[in-house]
Amino acid sequence: MRLLHTSDWHLGRAFHRVNMLGAQADFVSHLVATVRERGVDAVVVSGDVYDRAVPPLAAVELFDDTLHKLADLGVPTVMISGNHDSARRLGVGAGLIDRAGIHLRTEPSACGTPVIIPDAHGDVAFYGLPYLEPALVKAEFGVEKAGHEAVLAAAMDRVRADLATRAPGTRSVVLAHAFVTGGEASDSERDITVGGVAAVPAGVFDGVDYAALGHLHGSQAITGRVRYSGSPLPYSFSEADHRKTMWLIDLDAEGTVTAERLDCPVPRGLARIRGTLEDLLRDPELGRHEEAWVEATLTDAVRPADPMARLAERFPHTLSLVFDPERSPDDPDVSYARRLAGRDDREIADDFVAHVRGAGPDDDERTVLQEAFDAVRADSVVREVTP
């Protein structure tokens, strides 16, 4: 069976001030053409179809058009909801859409109920594990402590239990939206840390032939059987070095995986450039970036006049301007933002406690702080997805 694995479309998302809807439509057309030209037997979309729980109308219209194009191909498609999607909204009409060969899997309770797609060698069972927010699904899976590894492990127990009832030789594919240990993150993914831990081990997916992952925006293989497709388009300058692709997966009669990366159409390259304003305007080596979307970091000791306008004369697609004067770390003028760079909320809170009373929090206090951060994050998720 030949699968096309993609994820993280983020329909409705902009790149800085650039509307990406046209590029997203071009990607959908490319996906449909790829399915037709490469003889794809099934399409899997591993979450974050939309960029937010209540997407703009234009994004909903593009998704509707996408569903029609996929249905017209007569090639089954399996989709799950991601942490940016509202599972309830995305799943509306799933029963009817299912009849058209578009299988939306947004209910955590259905993790162990597969979509069965046969080929010449027998059945392939596709299990859709939508994004499992630990605080919201721990009761469903009977876990005592809310955490990503616990709920994913419980969901995979259901998958393996169902697979054990299938005919011998049934192959299996799991779609999941999670941060797996060993994956390389970028700046454009929303933080899903719970209890100070965001990642789960790849071994959670043991027992299935292929795990089609979503959430991380860089295409990467955690193992030969556990892969991220990445986002088809860039959504932050941290993705400047990404090669935007989909995975074409061949699953043979024994469940052996063969993978090929297929490039996605990207509307414009990305470039991160750094130096004084005068250096950036004069350096001939930077000529190759003149048509790219540019993030420029200026290192001038004194902020120059009209830097964006002057940069735009050479780099007309400059979208981001960062000021980072070259100073020693102990310089009193080093910015607060630079001092906090790379530190998470818990570490910042620890530093604040130490600053106020002269000593950092003890283990019990750190636990209270972490529980408070987790509660705030879970509450924001609930409020975002509640009608």
Side-chain angles (χ1 to χ4, degrees):
M1 181 169 287
R2 173 164 283 187
L3 318 175
L4 188 62
H5 168 199
T6 178
S7 72
D8 295 275
W9 295 357
H10 289 278
L11 300 182
R13 185 167 185 161
F15 180 70
H16 291 262
R17 62 176 180 268
V18 177
N19 186 323
M20 297 291 278
L21 206 64
Q24 291 167 342
D26 289 342
F27 161 70
V28 168
S29 297
H30 170 72
L31 181 147
V32 171
T34 299
V35 172
R36 185 185 302 113
E37 294 165 5
R38 298 300 299 265
V40 171
D41 299 306
V43 177
V44 296
V45 186
S46 299
D48 282 353
V49 175
Y50 290 121
D51 187 55
R52 56 182 185 266
V54 185
L57 180 58
V60 177
E61 291 173 340
L62 177 56
F63 180 59
D64 180 65
D65 182 60
T66 302
L67 293 184
H68 281 84
K69 288 179 177 178
L70 290 171
D72 288 345
L73 289 173
V75 174
T77 299
V78 185
M79 295 183 171
I80 61 171
S81 49
N83 63 302
H84 280 250
D85 299 308
S86 165
R88 293 179 64 184
R89 289 186 176 93
L90 186 64
V92 169
L96 287 173
I97 296 171
D98 193 80
R99 300 178 189 178
I102 308 294
H103 308 284
L104 291 171
R105 292 295 181 263
T106 63
E107 291 292 334
S109 59
C111 285
T113 304
V115 176
I116 301 297
I117 302 175
D119 69 1
H121 305 292
D123 289 344
V124 180
F126 290 77
Y127 297 90
L129 279 55
Y131 173 66
L132 302 174
E133 174 59 46
L136 304 184
V137 303
K138 66 176 183 176
E140 166 65 33
F141 291 105
V143 298
E144 292 183 4
K145 188 174 181 180
H148 290 293
E149 184 174 356
V151 296
L152 263 177
M156 283 301 301
D157 285 343
R158 294 188 184 184
V159 168
R160 286 184 284 264
D162 180 84
L163 192 57
T165 70
R166 301 287 164 182
T170 298
R171 290 153 292 158
S172 54
V173 175
V174 165
L175 289 73
H177 197 86
F179 189 165
V180 174
T181 303
E184 183 178 341
S186 62
D187 294 342
S188 52
E189 299 111 8
R190 182 181 294 172
D191 180 35
I192 59 171
T193 301
V194 174
V197 178
V200 300
V204 165
F205 300 104
D206 286 352
V208 297
D209 294 307
Y210 184 67
L213 302 182
H215 180 58
L216 300 185
H217 288 184
S219 178
Q220 52 199 295
I222 306 301
T223 72
R225 296 182 179 274
V226 179
R227 297 172 184 265
Y228 284 98
S229 68
S231 62
L233 293 165
Y235 293 114
S236 73
F237 277 102
S238 65
E239 301 168 55
D241 294 329
H242 285 189
R243 175 186 165 197
K244 294 302 181 182
T245 60
M246 302 177 287
W247 285 110
L248 188 69
I249 302 295
D250 285 318
L251 200 63
D252 73 8
E254 285 73 41
T256 301
V257 171
T258 303
E260 178 185 354
R261 287 179 73 181
L262 303 181
D263 290 299
C264 296
V266 177
R268 193 178 297 279
L270 272 61
R272 295 177 117 170
I273 59 177
R274 179 184 179 90
T276 66
L277 179 59
E278 291 304 321
D279 285 345
L280 297 184
L281 294 177
R282 296 175 180 175
D283 187 349
E285 291 296 318
L286 298 180
R288 65 186 187 279
H289 300 313
E290 290 177 357
E291 294 305 315
W293 282 322
V294 168
E295 177 185 74
T297 299
L298 299 185
T299 60
D300 301 76
V302 177
R303 187 172 300 202
D306 299 321
M308 181 63 90
R310 294 172 65 189
L311 279 169
E313 292 178 3
R314 183 179 188 188
F315 307 102
H317 306 288
T318 301
L319 300 181
S320 176
L321 187 57
V322 179
F323 293 97
D324 188 16
E326 296 288 359
R327 295 190 177 110
S328 64
D330 56 354
D331 190 313
D333 291 331
V334 171
S335 73
Y336 182 64
R338 286 185 65 187
R339 293 200 301 272
L340 297 184
R343 304 181 67 76
D344 61 27
D345 291 342
R346 232 285 308 281
E347 291 172 327
I348 294 169
D350 288 355
D351 289 348
F352 176 75
V353 173
H355 173 73
V356 169
R357 73 179 186 192
D362 60 27
D363 290 344
D364 289 339
E365 291 169 331
R366 285 193 180 91
T367 298
V368 171
L369 284 170
Q370 187 61 62
E371 288 174 349
F373 283 122
D374 290 347
V376 169
R377 196 185 64 81
D379 180 65
S380 68
V381 172
V382 171
R383 286 188 286 106
E384 181 174 304
V385 302
T386 300

